[in-house]
Amino acid sequence: MALSELDRKYDAVMAAVTGPGGRVILDKDGQGRTIVANFPATLPLFFKTFCALYGPTEAVIAGDERLTFAELDSLSDQMARGLVARGIGKGDRVGIAMRNCPAWILSYMAVLKAGAVAALLNGWWQPDELEHALQLTRPKLVLADAPRAQRIAATCAGCAVDSIAIDKRTPEAFLKLIAAGSDDIALPDVSPDDDATILFTSGSTGEAKGALSTHRAVTTGVYAYSTALMTLRGILESEGRPPPNPLKTLVVVPLFHVTGEVPVVLNSFVICRGMVLMPKWDAGEALRLIEKEKITYFVGVPTMSLELMNHPDRGNYDLSTLTDIAAGGAPRPVSHVERLRNAFPVAQPALGYGLTETNAVGCGNFWGNYAAKPASTGRAQVPFVELAILGDGDRHLPAGERGEIAIRSAANIKCYWENPEATAAAFTSDGFLKSGDVGYLDEDGYLFIVDRKKDIIIRGGENISAAEVEAALYGSEGIAEAAVFGVPDERLGEVPVAVLHRREGSSISEEELRAFLEGRLAAFKIPERMIFSDGPLPRLGTGKIDRLALKQQHAA
């Protein structure tokens, strides 16, 4: 082992933070996984505790809307009582379908305080995708902004889903819901092992699966991040350079994604970090907000930091408060790391690796370590995460050998909602969750991802199932054969490409096929390129289409 000086400092400060007399007291759960013993293990108590600690601090900023932590707590309490008055009971699913806005955060808090399970619906889904998620989880109620409420009403008549349309203003948006409740309505007791959230994840089989987490899993995921940030702050303070500005993050990732939910929003409650919400990504607007609101932390898919670097107006803004530029959800091209350091000399680049199924925990690479090993996604988030590289029969492989990456943590999901087969396939007998990614660990414990076992394409942080796109293409009568795969893209990391063979007698064009797909797939899933083959697609000896050969042929 030849750990860097930064790694040695990190390990020493982490030991102090989590050791005797430290701020974080550790324990083990019934499966021997590390948990935090002195922080709230349920989300209702989590919100109560940290909103009380930081009450007068501005928590959420969205245009001219500004809410403190105390106001978030009070409003979400009233909303939770309104939900209970409407018949929402413990364990009921309640969907949330909105763009990033204060109402999303308040809805999330209220649903969990009411003892319900928050189902985070993808705001970009088209009707078929939305209907699948609603039929799968059968929410008793959906809190939605007006466009998505209309989409639900028009699409899912057979789902028997009640929805409340929330306009973007807060708290006026919730007057009807709040009026239904009263102060004498008691909110239910929630335990750490109760179900808390369902997030949706694309799998190699196509339709999205619902990843179910307990309160313990979600809070452990949050504390993995907040403990790491306490450690990094401790390093800065030991070097005589504590953070000069109050913590603020620009929230540009969707809140229905695990990155937006756990390390961004929930983590902000723990570390007293203001959240400046952007309803839609715009690099120029992001630069303006970084200066205006004195943003200290930025996290987005690598595409976003690339657009910040390349924006022609970047030099017109004072970006000196920005000290960290992190990325997650997709690989960051190695070439971007040095460019980031040059473009934002005060800001340190970082990269995270986690899954929806791990509540975003996994690995982190930061500061000088990231510059030294820009191709790595970093070390495991100790002491909460155990990493394994799996070979045949789920055998744990030594450093340097390639295999499937697996993660064991108390932040792992409980199961896939009503899908025992997928759940059984996802976990090893010793409790490791299989990622579907192929990689190896170096002698310092740094993880390098080299491939994916699952047929998943990651376009700018959005997971795309090749099988789902192929199924949609086969829905067109003009297509006889289809193969979809990802090819490298400098801006988005990866984009989907389709190679197609038309049915005999068909002359369907790319434009016609795109129009056909637009009502069936979210825009980010539609192939970037469509390549028509005059003859049948190549096949393996098994009779399956040879995607590897097609990918190698068309990768450029």
Side-chain angles (χ1 to χ4, degrees):
M1 298 286 284
L3 289 178
S4 69
E5 181 183 355
L6 177 56
D7 279 333
R8 289 194 295 271
K9 281 185 180 179
Y10 185 90
D11 292 348
V13 176
M14 175 64 80
V17 169
T18 60
R23 293 179 63 187
V24 179
I25 299 172
L26 301 179
D27 200 354
K28 298 288 185 180
D29 68 5
Q31 299 178 49
R33 304 173 301 185
T34 300
I35 57 174
V36 175
N38 63 323
F39 287 8
T42 67
L43 287 160
L45 185 57
F46 172 98
F47 293 126
K48 278 285 163 206
T49 300
F50 294 111
C51 287
L53 275 174
Y54 310 130
T57 304
E58 280 190 342
V60 176
I61 298 103
D64 59 356
E65 293 184 64
R66 291 176 178 263
L67 293 168
T68 65
F69 283 101
E71 287 169 331
L72 287 180
D73 189 43
S74 175
L75 274 169
S76 58
D77 271 358
Q78 296 173 62
M79 291 167 59
R81 293 189 181 99
L83 289 170
V84 172
R86 286 181 63 97
I88 298 300
K90 193 172 175 181
D92 287 338
R93 275 79 61 207
V94 176
I96 302 173
M98 304 179 198
R99 277 193 171 188
N100 288 7
C101 61
W104 194 103
I105 296 173
L106 285 164
S107 296
Y108 179 90
M109 295 173 70
V111 169
L112 292 160
K113 286 181 175 183
V117 180
L120 310 189
L121 301 168
N122 188 315
W124 297 328
W125 275 337
Q126 290 301 303
D128 288 353
E129 299 158 310
L130 184 59
E131 184 167 19
H132 164 71
L134 294 174
Q135 294 281 20
L136 175 67
T137 56
R138 301 182 304 282
K140 197 167 183 179
L141 178 69
V142 178
L143 301 175
D145 57 23
R148 287 156 187 83
Q150 291 168 4
R151 193 180 304 166
I152 290 166
T155 305
C156 305
C159 299
V161 172
D162 188 14
S163 66
I164 298 178
I166 306 293
D167 94 7
K168 65 181 180 180
R169 297 293 305 169
T170 306
E172 293 89 341
F174 297 108
L175 288 178
K176 187 179 294 186
L177 182 59
I178 289 171
S182 63
D183 290 344
D184 58 355
I185 292 177
L187 298 177
D189 292 329
V190 175
S191 76
D193 293 328
D194 285 339
D195 296 338
T197 61
I198 297 175
L199 277 70
F200 296 90
T201 178
S202 291
S204 57
T205 55
E207 290 183 325
K209 299 191 291 289
L212 176 68
S213 292
T214 64
H215 286 262
R216 172 74 78 187
V218 178
T219 54
T220 299
V222 180
Y223 300 145
Y225 279 92
S226 50
T227 305
L229 291 181
M230 291 177 204
T231 301
L232 293 175
R233 187 183 184 106
I235 292 172
L236 294 175
E237 290 172 346
S238 72
E239 296 173 350
R241 49 191 187 105
N245 295 292
L247 300 182
K248 271 192 181 178
T249 182
L250 188 62
V251 183
V252 298
V253 291
L255 298 181
F256 55 76
H257 277 184
V258 73
T259 301
E261 179 210 11
V262 175
V264 177
V265 169
L266 293 177
N267 193 27
S268 294
F269 281 82
V270 182
I271 63 174
C272 191
R273 183 173 63 189
M275 295 170 273
V276 180
L277 306 186
M278 286 188 72
K280 184 179 181 181
W281 170 247
D282 178 274
E285 176 66 2
L287 290 169
R288 186 188 72 81
L289 287 170
I290 290 169
E291 178 184 77
K292 178 178 183 291
E293 298 292 347
K294 294 182 169 52
I295 299 296
T296 61
Y297 178 80
F298 177 90
V299 62
V301 295
T303 309
M304 294 173 173
S305 52
L306 177 67
E307 291 182 13
L308 291 179
M309 283 191 287
N310 291 339
H311 200 280
D313 295 336
R314 177 168 57 85
N316 298 336
Y317 294 96
D318 178 3
L319 309 176
S320 60
T321 60
L322 188 63
T323 54
D324 293 277
I325 299 181
R332 175 185 269 153
V334 171
S335 62
H336 288 187
V337 180
E338 189 59 32
R339 288 182 61 190
L340 271 176
R341 290 168 64 86
N342 293 332
F344 300 96
V346 178
Q348 299 262 31
L351 182 69
Y353 170 71
L355 311 172
T356 301
E357 290 90 340
T358 65
N359 275 291
V361 305
C363 300
N365 199 358
F366 52 87
W367 298 2
N369 290 338
Y370 191 21
K373 296 186 180 186
S376 172
T377 194
R379 295 195 297 165
Q381 287 176 292
V382 293
F384 298 97
V385 172
E386 300 170 72
L387 276 184
I389 304 297
L390 304 179
D392 292 339
D394 294 340
R395 179 173 58 90
H396 289 213
L397 300 177
E401 290 196 30
R402 295 185 176 191
E404 183 172 6
I405 302 161
I407 295 171
R408 185 174 186 263
S409 151
N412 282 355
I413 63 169
K414 176 180 176 179
C415 64
Y416 291 114
W417 181 262
E418 295 189 351
N419 196 336
E421 295 83 6
T423 302
F427 286 92
T428 65
S429 60
D430 53 353
F432 281 81
L433 186 137
K434 300 178 183 180
S435 70
D437 294 322
V438 176
Y440 67 91
L441 294 168
D442 72 6
E443 65 278 5
D444 300 323
Y446 276 72
L447 178 65
F448 291 77
I449 301 170
V450 297
D451 202 358
R452 276 194 296 280
K453 287 182 71 173
K454 296 187 293 185
D455 204 5
I456 293 293
I457 303 156
I458 303 180
R459 178 192 184 276
E462 286 288 343
N463 282 13
I464 301 169
S465 162
E468 180 187 9
V469 180
E470 288 173 359
L473 286 162
Y474 279 122
S476 167
E477 293 184 359
I479 297 301
E481 294 180 336
V484 175
F485 46 84
V487 299
D489 181 84
E490 175 70 11
R491 191 173 73 87
L492 297 167
E494 214 176 19
V495 294
V497 167
V499 180
L500 306 159
H501 176 52
R502 297 181 181 91
R503 290 191 185 278
E504 188 174 349
S506 171
S507 59
I508 190 169
S509 67
E510 180 172 339
E511 292 74 19
E512 290 169 331
L513 199 50
R514 287 188 182 281
F516 173 80
L517 293 176
E518 280 173 3
R520 293 164 172 79
L521 293 175
F524 67 85
K525 298 178 184 178
I526 296 176
E528 192 82 3
R529 286 191 289 136
M530 296 186 187
I531 301 162
F532 289 92
S533 169
D534 291 336
L537 303 188
R539 295 189 176 268
L540 300 166
T542 58
K544 293 182 179 179
I545 292 172
D546 189 348
R547 284 179 184 79
L548 181 59
L550 289 169
K551 185 173 182 176
Q552 291 171 343
Q553 180 182 349
H554 297 287

